[in-house]
Amino acid sequence: MDGAVEITDLEHWDRAIQERVAEFGLDCYPQEFEVCDHLQMFSYMAYSGMPAHYPHWSYGKSYEKIRTMYDHGVSGLPYEMVINSNPCLAYLMRENSLALQVLTIAHVYGHNDFFKNNFTFRHTRASRTLESFKLHAERVREYAEDPSIGREAVEQTLDAAHALSLQLGRNRALRRRSPQEQRDAALARSRPPEDPFHAIHKRRESSEPELDRVPLEPDEDLLVFVRDHNTYLADWQRDLLTIVYEEALYFLPQIETKIMNEGWASFWHRTILQSLDLPQSLHMEFLVHHNQVVRPILGELNPYHLGLRIWDDLVARFGGSEPNPGGVGERPSREALAKLLEVREVDRDVSFLRRFLSQELVRELDLFEHQARGKEQVVTHVADEQGWEEVKSTLLRNVGMGAVPVIKVEDADHARSRTLYLKHYHDGRDLKLDFAEKTLEHLHRLWQRPVMLESVINERAVLLSFDEDGFDTRELKKRKREH
């Protein structure tokens, strides 16, 4: 390969790192590496790490943005990119030094272990990841090249699907009730509760449930609902909605575990490399790169930094560290490692932070909350005795999918007019009306009938709607709707 780093050097250090991975008890998929240059990395970044992806104008735009920012020195490139697949595929930048390559390889194994073992990734079918993305790309190209469909129609459908792709159930470990179970639950709710004194009490009246209502229970999976309940969609449109939905499901765990995952990989690249007794020249450069990755960033939240600090705190709280058998560096004790592996498996960012971001850590990290006031950013809470809980609460509401509004389908035939009625489950944060308008426009394009969204703006119940006349908003006087 070009430059100072040879493939044989990478193979040597990869074998050494694999030995440490086994010694420390990490459980990984088989690992494959691909060495690429910066131009190839631009493409992988634009495709969210995938070697193949369906064509869409947004990926070309992303590529040009990444390349322009890199060429003008505004941003750099990641040290690596890792795909949740089996075998796990990772890209190494050809231009990186040997020390940086060794750090990156160790970091990749941390991600690999996390992908294989964290519960949020279990539905992603890692053994089929690369194949499924390739098949998706082939199907979309076939539709775009079909004269009866065409690229413009395909891209319009994909535009709408992309705008709605994150409106989906967030915890895939929760089993969704079957239609029959939903019917049974609706019937149970309609019956009066058991009364042990029914013989002397007036009989309570029961009401008939609306068993013909669709959906019987609010539905979070918006794309799938539209696909399954809009009979006017063509088969190719339904297939496109399925493709976008499946790819959103693939990326969902990575959104939900960013802090845990990056902290875990950083914890293990540091632990592994400290155990390798690196030559002094490599060790000093490793320390520089490690500190660059995990340093705090003023005014921003660095997931590498926050995640690593919490994992380190868990080690200290649940057994501490012990010297490596070779006498170089430290490793978690057996008790601490058992706790780390348990947390790595059963948590996602919101539960990870809720359980383990202590008052002491909030203060040590000097976390604070700030809000926009006009053109200025004003600090509203700091990590003192009175404010640390508010700082933590704000963080919990914004990690993972927390910043994405929860919107559910309430009725597919509102007022018996095929109007799609949705509800925003308001959590104190108002929708941005310009975003809401464009999103409803995309949904209207897919549903092909009027769409309505119930929400709260400035503490007033409102109804946002989009139909053939465009966008409208009005105050909602009554919460009860016609059916």
Side-chain angles (χ1 to χ4, degrees):
M1 61 185 287
D2 297 335
V5 181
E6 299 292 336
I7 288 292
T8 52
D9 294 326
L10 298 181
E11 291 173 340
H12 165 76
W13 288 107
D14 181 42
R15 286 192 296 270
I17 290 169
Q18 285 191 56
E19 291 175 2
R20 295 298 188 272
V21 165
E23 289 174 10
F24 291 138
L26 300 185
D27 177 23
C28 299
Y29 294 124
Q31 181 63 56
E32 295 179 355
F33 292 98
E34 179 180 321
V35 180
C36 64
D37 60 27
H38 67 284
L39 293 176
Q40 292 170 308
M41 186 64 85
F42 294 153
S43 299
Y44 296 140
M45 291 174 67
Y47 278 170
S48 301
M50 291 299 156
H53 207 289
Y54 59 78
H56 186 258
W57 63 266
S58 63
Y59 302 124
K61 177 182 177 181
S62 177
Y63 177 89
E64 290 300 328
K65 179 181 178 180
I66 294 167
R67 180 169 182 172
T68 300
M69 293 179 70
Y70 178 82
D71 289 344
H72 288 82
V74 177
S75 66
L77 292 176
Y79 293 154
E80 41 69 36
M81 294 193 73
V82 192
I83 296 176
N84 168 33
S85 60
N86 180 17
C88 182
L89 175 61
Y91 307 107
L92 303 177
M93 284 278 291
R94 178 176 286 112
E95 295 87 346
N96 289 344
S97 66
L98 178 58
L100 187 49
Q101 300 286 28
V102 174
L103 181 153
T104 298
I105 292 171
H107 191 86
V108 163
Y109 280 102
H111 283 310
N112 185 333
D113 170 84
F114 196 90
F115 290 149
K116 185 177 180 182
N117 294 283
N118 182 264
F119 85 99
T120 65
F121 291 86
R122 286 178 186 160
H123 73 272
T124 57
R125 299 181 297 177
S127 61
R128 298 176 57 186
T129 295
L130 299 179
E131 177 188 0
S132 65
F133 273 78
K134 182 179 179 181
L135 290 174
H136 289 168
E138 291 175 355
R139 276 152 50 195
V140 173
R141 287 191 176 91
E142 287 178 2
Y143 296 139
E145 294 168 2
D146 186 332
S148 67
I149 300 173
R151 182 174 301 277
E152 183 177 355
V154 167
E155 292 207 336
Q156 286 182 350
T157 301
L158 289 175
D159 286 346
H162 289 172
L164 303 167
S165 61
L166 292 184
Q167 296 301 327
L168 73 172
R170 297 160 188 233
N171 189 348
R172 310 311 294 188
L174 298 178
R175 189 183 73 84
R176 186 173 178 175
R177 290 200 282 201
S178 68
Q180 185 58 49
E181 288 172 330
Q182 293 183 33
R183 289 174 62 87
D184 293 343
L187 287 169
R189 288 193 300 268
S190 70
R191 300 187 185 110
E194 291 291 331
D195 182 0
F197 304 103
H198 64 276
I200 60 174
H201 287 165
K202 181 180 178 181
R203 183 176 180 179
R204 299 181 185 181
E205 295 183 3
S206 61
S207 58
E208 287 298 318
E210 299 177 275
L211 295 180
D212 62 339
R213 180 174 173 175
V214 178
L216 278 175
E217 296 179 352
D219 196 324
E220 289 182 274
D221 289 321
L222 192 49
L223 284 181
V224 171
F225 186 88
V226 172
R227 179 197 68 188
D228 294 344
H229 293 90
N230 181 7
T231 58
Y232 297 99
L233 289 176
D235 289 342
W236 64 268
Q237 290 175 302
R238 289 194 177 88
D239 192 30
L240 291 183
L241 298 191
T242 302
I243 288 171
V244 174
Y245 175 74
E246 289 179 352
E247 295 197 1
L249 285 183
Y250 169 83
F251 289 111
L252 178 64
Q254 300 182 43
I255 298 172
E256 287 283 78
T257 60
K258 178 73 172 178
I259 294 170
M260 284 184 71
N261 199 347
E262 296 297 358
W264 183 256
S266 300
F267 177 89
W268 285 109
H269 84 227
R270 183 193 62 192
T271 303
I272 291 170
L273 265 63
Q274 285 179 342
S275 73
L276 287 176
D277 193 16
L278 296 172
Q280 189 68 15
S281 58
L282 295 184
H283 183 72
M284 293 302 295
E285 188 180 345
F286 149 67
L287 291 176
V288 171
H289 291 305
H290 171 74
N291 289 329
Q292 287 175 339
V293 169
V294 303
R295 74 188 191 283
I297 303 174
L298 182 63
E300 298 181 25
L301 189 70
N302 182 351
Y304 298 81
H305 175 66
L306 177 58
L308 177 59
R309 288 295 300 271
I310 297 177
W311 287 117
D312 281 342
D313 189 60
L314 283 171
V315 172
R317 290 167 57 187
F318 293 95
S321 300
E322 60 187 23
N324 278 310
V328 181
E330 292 184 331
R331 62 192 295 170
S333 67
R334 180 175 299 180
E335 296 80 6
L337 179 60
K339 184 64 178 181
L340 296 186
L341 296 179
E342 172 200 320
V343 172
R344 169 267 263 144
E345 181 178 353
V346 303
D347 276 297
R348 51 181 175 163
D349 280 351
V350 67
S351 59
F352 182 64
L353 295 173
R354 182 182 291 115
R355 295 208 294 158
F356 303 119
L357 183 59
S358 63
Q359 179 180 1
E360 292 73 19
L361 267 179
V362 172
R363 298 184 69 175
E364 288 176 17
L365 293 166
D366 200 21
L367 299 179
F368 61 90
E369 176 189 334
H370 61 90
Q371 296 178 355
R373 300 274 177 84
K375 296 182 179 180
E376 297 180 346
Q377 290 289 329
V378 178
V379 175
T380 52
H381 293 92
V382 297
D384 57 16
E385 199 68 36
Q386 293 75 38
W388 79 271
E389 289 183 316
E390 185 62 33
V391 171
K392 179 177 177 178
S393 176
T394 299
L395 179 59
L396 290 175
R397 287 190 290 120
N398 286 278
V399 297
M401 291 283 288
V404 179
V406 176
I407 295 173
K408 301 181 183 181
V409 178
E410 300 280 316
D411 192 353
D413 191 21
H414 176 65
R416 302 300 185 188
S417 64
R418 289 288 296 159
T419 295
L420 186 66
Y421 197 104
L422 305 98
K423 181 179 178 181
H424 169 216
Y425 285 68
H426 197 273
D427 63 354
R429 293 175 288 185
D430 291 357
L431 296 175
K432 294 183 178 180
L433 286 180
D434 53 342
F435 285 19
E437 177 180 356
K438 293 298 294 182
T439 302
L440 288 179
E441 181 180 2
H442 285 303
L443 180 56
H444 177 259
R445 179 182 299 162
L446 293 178
W447 187 247
Q448 301 172 13
R449 291 289 189 278
V451 294
M452 294 181 174
L453 173 61
E454 178 184 329
S455 186
V456 175
I457 303 292
N458 295 326
E459 301 183 351
R460 294 186 304 168
V462 297
L463 191 63
L464 313 177
S465 62
F466 200 100
D467 56 23
E468 60 274 6
D469 295 324
F471 180 70
D472 186 40
T473 176
R474 60 183 172 85
E475 190 169 351
L476 188 63
K477 298 295 185 181
K478 296 181 179 180
R479 293 279 182 159
K480 188 176 179 180
R481 305 184 299 279
E482 298 178 32
H483 298 291

